[in-house]
Amino acid sequence: MWNEFKKFAMKGNVIDLAVGVIIGAAFGKIVSSLVADIIMPLIGMIIGVVDFSDLAYGKLKYGQFIQTIVDFLIISFSIFLFVKFITRFKKKEEAAPAPVKVDRSEELLAEIRDLLKEEKEILRKNETS
């Protein structure tokens, strides 16, 4: 059982996933700080009211829910822009696919096929004339 677990844990996909989760959590903190400390104060200067969390109807604090939705929209848009920025560079880095090298035997078979087609066409032309 231990050996099976070691094989599973050391697979490339599991390690890549773990690294992705850790980096994602760190990136989430960066984006949350960006929203809370930079973007929301800028929006506050433009439109006035930024913090919806104080809005309530009795004990129903719907303002906190609205604030969470606004934060989510800003965070998701920021991540969208980041991913779009990264994929632009990945497209430039991708080289043209290497030409497929055909095996010599396949080349010879293709030549034989082409010669047989040509011979067949010549025979048809001779039969019709």
Side-chain angles (χ1 to χ4, degrees), residues 20-72:
V21 167
I22 293 167
I23 290 175
F27 184 71
K29 289 179 183 179
I30 291 170
V31 173
S32 295
S33 175
L34 174 72
V35 170
D37 302 328
I38 296 173
I39 295 175
M40 290 305 280
L42 289 174
I43 292 173
M45 286 189 274
I46 295 170
I47 63 172
V49 178
V50 177
D51 192 12
F52 299 105
S53 58
D54 293 335
L55 299 174
Y57 182 77
K59 292 188 179 194
L60 183 65
K61 297 181 179 181
Y62 65 91
Q64 183 64 38
F65 180 70
I66 293 171
Q67 186 67 41
T68 304
I69 291 172
V70 170
D71 290 348
F72 169 77

Side-chain angles (χ1 to χ4, degrees), residues 5 12 24 29 44 58 81 83 94 103 108-109 114 120:
F5 176 73
K29 289 179 183 179
L81 292 177
V83 169
E94 290 176 359
D103 191 20
L108 291 173
L109 288 172
D114 295 340
K120 206 179 222 183

Side-chain angles (χ1 to χ4, degrees), residues 8 13 20 58 63 79 86 110 127:
F8 170 77
N13 294 342
I79 292 173
I86 295 297
E127 287 177 359

